[in-house]
Amino acid sequence: MKNNKVVLTSMIAIGMMSGIIFTNETVHAEGQFGPYTELETSGSKRNVETTGKYGLFTKPERDKSAKMVLSRSIMKRMGTYTQKDRAYYLSHDHRNDTYKGSRYYFRAYGYRLAADGSVYYRVVTMNGKYRGYVHGGKKLNKFSGGIKHAQTTKVAQMWPDFDWNWEYYLANSPVMTAPNYTQYKAKIVTNDYINNGQDRLQVFKSKVVTRTREGDKFMYVRDLDNKEIKGWTKRVSSDYQL
């Protein structure tokens, strides 16, 4: 007990000499967080990928009651995609290996601030399977730490032999609001290849992209016979679909 008093007295003395006052509030502040707040910037600006420097938790990691959702090693695996991974995707009927591919980009949608200014973002995978908090740096909307901004698609050119003067039709590929897993909650507009497969399609020259990770190509189409059908698809056909 006497030794403890000596140590405490020394700490107070050092604090007074450096101009710092130690209080109970200061000690406990490290484990305190501000209220949960929704992010309001455009969703596409909140697409992120993991760095593997931090894990994913049910609450900000420094909260004593936080539980791990995904380890740092899994988060690192989710955030990397190499030519070897793409070769795997192509050789396995367009299926990615475990924890790989566009489905494991994340969307940040909320945050809590720690007492030291650290930002803990609430994130969810593009396939909706995992969600939780990850350390994201100390500047709001400037992702760092455990996540960084992700460019989920890149501008591309259509195949060289594509004839823009030809009429095209829906092929065996759904029309979606965004290429698969490149935006959170991308939805299927139609995959009715029987009825809509006979509708004429307009393919837009200015809207052709590849998914950054898998490298597969998507084009934006509009159904000229059904104005409600428009979006992104992987392939079109020069023939009616019967």
Side-chain angles (χ1 to χ4, degrees), residues 37-54:
T37 306
E38 293 281 342
L39 289 166
E40 297 181 353
T41 53
S42 171
S44 60
K45 294 182 179 180
R46 294 184 271 111
N47 294 334
V48 296
E49 56 189 348
T50 55
T51 65
K53 294 180 180 179
Y54 293 88

Side-chain angles (χ1 to χ4, degrees), residues 102-138:
S102 296
R103 57 188 170 162
Y104 292 121
Y105 285 123
F106 283 77
R107 169 65 63 83
Y109 61 93
Y111 68 94
R112 292 184 68 185
L113 292 177
D116 68 350
S118 296
V119 186
Y120 286 83
Y121 290 99
R122 180 79 169 160
V123 297
V124 59
T125 53
M126 288 295 186
N127 64 358
K129 189 173 182 179
Y130 300 101
R131 71 176 65 232
Y133 284 91
V134 62
H135 186 284
K138 289 194 173 184

Side-chain angles (χ1 to χ4, degrees), residues 195-240:
N195 294 317
N196 299 131
Q198 299 179 41
D199 294 350
R200 297 167 302 137
L201 296 179
Q202 178 184 4
V203 182
F204 288 78
K205 287 184 179 181
S206 60
K207 292 187 177 183
V208 182
V209 300
T210 59
R211 290 197 293 176
T212 303
R213 288 182 172 176
E214 290 82 355
D216 40 13
K217 193 169 292 186
F218 287 78
M219 66 200 85
Y220 191 86
V221 300
R222 181 176 66 182
D223 190 322
L224 297 176
D225 300 311
N226 186 341
K227 65 180 182 180
E228 294 181 359
I229 297 176
K230 55 185 176 181
W232 298 89
T233 189
K234 262 189 173 185
R235 62 185 68 88
V236 293
S237 173
S238 57
D239 300 315
Y240 285 114

